Amino acid sequence: MTDDGLSFPTSLGTSTADEIRLLGQDLTADLMGKVGFGELAFWLVALRRPTPSETRVFEAVLVALADHGFTPTAIAARLTYLSAPDSLQGALAAGLLGGGSRFLGVTEDCGIFLHEALQRLDGQLPQDDAGWDELALTVVKETREAKKFVPGLGHPVHKVQDPRTPVLIGIAEEEGLRGPHLRLFEAIGRVHEQVLGRRLPLNGAGVCGAALADLGLPVELLRGFALLARAAGLLGQLAEERRRPIGMDAYLTVDRNAVYVDPTPDSTADLTP
């Protein structure tokens, strides 16, 4: 407690005039040069140091989500930087704010979806693929009947297979961390066609959510890990925008091809008070 009687408890970081402590460790003596950034990010949230196996899976997820080229998040960051080159933080923030249900957010959406399905399970977890398939079929049917979508099914670019999916599952298997969330998601990948009538790939971002949930990380925070990974990718995008700018071309391409059209009654209906 401080001299004035105030107390603000924390299990994270504190500092004095001559020392910084983080997670109960001396930052300079115990952590710097000894703990990787991915390992530290896990530790900060879980409040426990991950095992080497957990660190490998966790960092594989971060790598999988870091950058996918000219996605909306990258374009938003580049155009914001074009408009305000004096505000690197604004450009980064613009890209991160685009992480939602269509891009990046599926990591959390899928993790929560799988977690809730497993919590509803009455009895023991399935013991084989047949059992997981039966559970997955029930989950997909219930989701369809509720007129909802299964998060993590389908990808706008990878129509047959997301290349990240088998690699992430393989790494989790190698490290003994292919847990119930991943197994349920894999089963959904096997059986959903029976309900939906078409085959969709398991989105790599959804697999990331399943893998993170299997690591015991809070499913309500999974989008934060996706944003953590994408922050690195966006910084790379902005560095490239400085070296080889495309922001002005992107802006002018849209602006010079804008065509005015008279508003139709349908397009203004929802604007009427």
Side-chain angles (χ1 to χ4, degrees):
M1 184 174 292
T2 58
D3 293 340
D4 56 11
L6 293 175
S7 177
F8 299 98
T10 178
S11 299
L12 303 177
T14 58
S15 61
T16 64
D18 55 5
E19 183 186 52
I20 300 173
R21 298 193 67 80
L22 183 61
L23 297 162
Q25 311 291 314
D26 184 309
L27 179 70
T28 56
D30 302 328
L31 301 178
M32 291 175 64
K34 300 175 182 178
V35 175
F37 180 70
E39 184 179 3
L40 181 65
F42 186 110
W43 197 346
L44 284 166
V45 174
L47 294 181
R48 65 177 180 83
R49 188 170 185 173
T51 66
S53 290
E54 289 173 326
T55 299
R56 184 180 178 222
V57 172
F58 181 71
E59 292 190 343
V61 167
L62 296 183
V63 171
L65 296 173
D67 184 78
H68 299 156
F70 290 128
T71 58
T73 57
I75 293 169
R78 286 189 181 236
L79 291 181
T80 302
Y81 190 70
L82 169 68
S83 182
D86 51 313
S87 180
L88 178 69
Q89 69 274 24
L92 277 172
L96 294 175
L97 288 171
S101 58
R102 290 187 177 176
F103 290 87
L104 290 177
V106 69
T107 296
E108 178 174 294
D109 296 343
C110 186
I112 289 176
F113 175 83
L114 297 169
H115 189 68
E116 290 178 347
L118 290 169
Q119 285 189 317
R120 292 194 302 270
L121 183 62
D122 186 17
Q124 293 185 337
L125 293 174
Q127 299 301 306
D128 54 24
D129 284 350
W132 283 111
D133 287 356
E134 182 179 355
L135 173 60
L137 199 58
T138 299
V139 170
V140 176
K141 285 179 178 177
E142 290 175 348
T143 305
R144 180 67 177 269
E145 290 169 359
K147 301 186 184 305
K148 296 181 180 179
F149 296 102
V150 177
L153 266 185
H155 193 281
V157 177
H158 309 299
K159 299 299 186 181
V160 177
Q161 182 183 66
D162 189 317
R164 298 168 295 176
T165 294
V167 175
L168 281 167
I169 293 172
I171 292 172
E173 175 69 20
E174 290 170 7
E175 299 299 336
L177 294 169
R178 188 173 161 214
H181 298 86
L182 273 173
R183 291 188 181 276
L184 176 56
F185 197 41
E186 290 177 70
I188 288 173
R190 292 192 294 268
V191 307
H192 70 271
E193 189 175 8
Q194 300 176 38
V195 180
L196 304 183
R198 58 177 178 149
R199 176 157 293 278
L200 297 168
L202 293 181
N203 190 307
V207 175
C208 286
L212 292 174
D214 277 341
L215 293 178
L217 294 166
V219 292
E220 300 83 4
L221 297 180
L222 298 188
R223 189 171 301 188
F225 296 114
L227 295 174
L228 173 66
R230 188 52 57 93
L234 291 174
L235 188 58
Q237 289 281 339
L238 294 173
E240 184 171 79
E241 183 64 21
R242 289 174 56 87
R243 294 192 306 269
R244 192 179 299 118
I246 58 94
M248 183 63 76
D249 290 339
Y251 152 59
L252 291 176
T253 297
V254 176
D255 183 71
R256 296 299 179 261
N257 290 283
V259 178
Y260 176 79
V261 296
D262 289 330
T264 63
D266 288 343
S267 68
T268 60
D270 59 348
L271 300 178
T272 304

